[in-house]
Amino acid sequence: MEIQLAVAKVVKYGSLESGDTLEIVERPMGGVSCVLGDARSSGTSAKSVSSMVVRKVISLLSDGVRDGAAARAASDFLFMEKGGTCSVYLNILSADLQTQTLVISRNNPTPVFISQSDQIECISSESNPVGQERNIRPSITEISLFPRTTVVLYTDGVMRAGERFGQSIEFCSLIQAYLDEQEPSAQYIADALLSHALRLDQNQPNDDMSVVVLRVIEKAEDNIRRLTVKLPFSSQTTIYD
Amino acid sequence: MEIQLAVAKVVKYGSLESGDTLEIVERPMGGVSCVLGDARSSGTSAKSVSSMVVRKVISLLSDGVRDGAAARAASDFLFMEKGGTCSVYLNILSADLQTQTLVISRNNPTPVFISQSDQIECISSESNPVGQERNIRPSITEISLFPRTTVVLYTDGVMRAGERFGQSIEFCSLIQAYLDEQEPSAQYIADALLSHALRLDQNQPNDDMSVVVLRVIEKAEDNIRRLTVKLPFSSQTTIYD
């Protein structure tokens, strides 16, 4: 089997820096985790807050701390640092090879979609951002690491795409349409979903947008682990998106 | 412009776990760093040592510490923890958007190849692994972030591929051949080099093998950041490679 994890990420139109921070880390007992932090607003100060939270979570996960405990710790840490004046939406998506499960940890009201055996489930339970108050808990969903499982999550910039123009995305049917294609890769789904959101915002994204897709594929191509990063940048300035 | 960073990684034949650890992290002032640790031997204990070193470096880089200082700190940390009984080969490869440079930090005698303007340079100066003694320094090379630059580095498992069968790899001409193809992606070069090494070891790698390729591309496809992970695994056990 093979785990495919893909990310596509774009900065708000006119903003110098994305307020979304995303990092991946290998789990010490096997597997991979993806941590996504979305600070309220865009730009350098938002980036600094989301990146502080994501770094704390990554560091705890790589020490073997469980996802739920890492989210709580990051919340307390942000609350202690900023006294409740800053909050960050946080998602942790882990493929844990030790427990053979996928663990989805949400401190983010934006829904997460899970497709297993031709059925798409939408997790959209109440969920609070980290750092706003004491005793914040993540909402955690754990499912078996079965082949043909797909998890899709995104930041609120994607959810609200097109809102200015009176349009919205029907995520469930859109994701179903992508999955109906011939063995779509995780990267294909992430790219397609982000492109769709960008089109609705007329290619001038109204907020930072990030899409994360994880797929469990029945048959691995080979026994090789792969990792690819593509980072567009401008040579004139330190602007990056 | 676009930075492409690609990794291909395989475990030693018959080993449960790779002694090579590789992580990437976003640089807080813009850009990306890739950290590769190669512990002597393979298996769980080697993994635990290489991962300890890589985690330390990643954590320092994400706090904004410079690459050279992070390598020194990781060396002292490993020396303090293990009293000089363990050593780890360490490479840090960074695309720093703030200084608009590529920084190659080596604590690894395995050579690093840099191609700029149709000329391939091989960096193979003396270099000591981290953790073996006090005051270990990295050997650092810094070059401008020009388009059409390619950096290739790998672990000694790749360098020694085919040694058992009296064969060896002519890296310089092999990399030149890949670069002569039509706009090869970083992932294509990493995959091709690893496949070549695997063939020389008759598909039973004699050591853990990892290849890292970074390319600076003149024209970015679009303004979207992308990240892809492919992780083959077996569902019966926690073996992964």
Side-chain angles (χ1 to χ4, degrees), chain A residues 67-88:
Chain A
D67 297 23
R72 286 171 196 230
S75 183
D76 290 348
F77 173 66
L78 181 62
F79 184 78
M80 187 269 293
E81 285 284 323
K82 302 285 183 182
T85 57
C86 286
S87 66
V88 170

Side-chain angles (χ1 to χ4, degrees), chain B residues 165-221:
Chain B
F165 308 104
Q167 291 187 292
S168 67
I169 303 184
E170 228 318 323
F171 284 99
C172 205
S173 48
L174 197 62
I175 293 167
Q176 188 60 65
Y178 298 146
L179 291 174
D180 286 344
E181 297 187 28
Q182 187 70 27
E183 292 283 332
S185 70
Q187 189 69 59
Y188 172 82
I189 298 174
D191 283 352
L193 190 52
L194 186 64
S195 300
H196 189 89
L198 285 172
R199 269 198 305 278
L200 291 196
D201 264 352
Q202 307 197 344
N203 284 316
Q204 300 191 344
N206 198 29
D207 193 2
D208 306 319
M209 294 181 175
S210 305
V211 179
V212 179
V213 177
L214 186 145
R215 296 208 75 197
V216 185
I217 306 290
E218 196 142 16
K219 207 163 155 41
E221 204 182 320

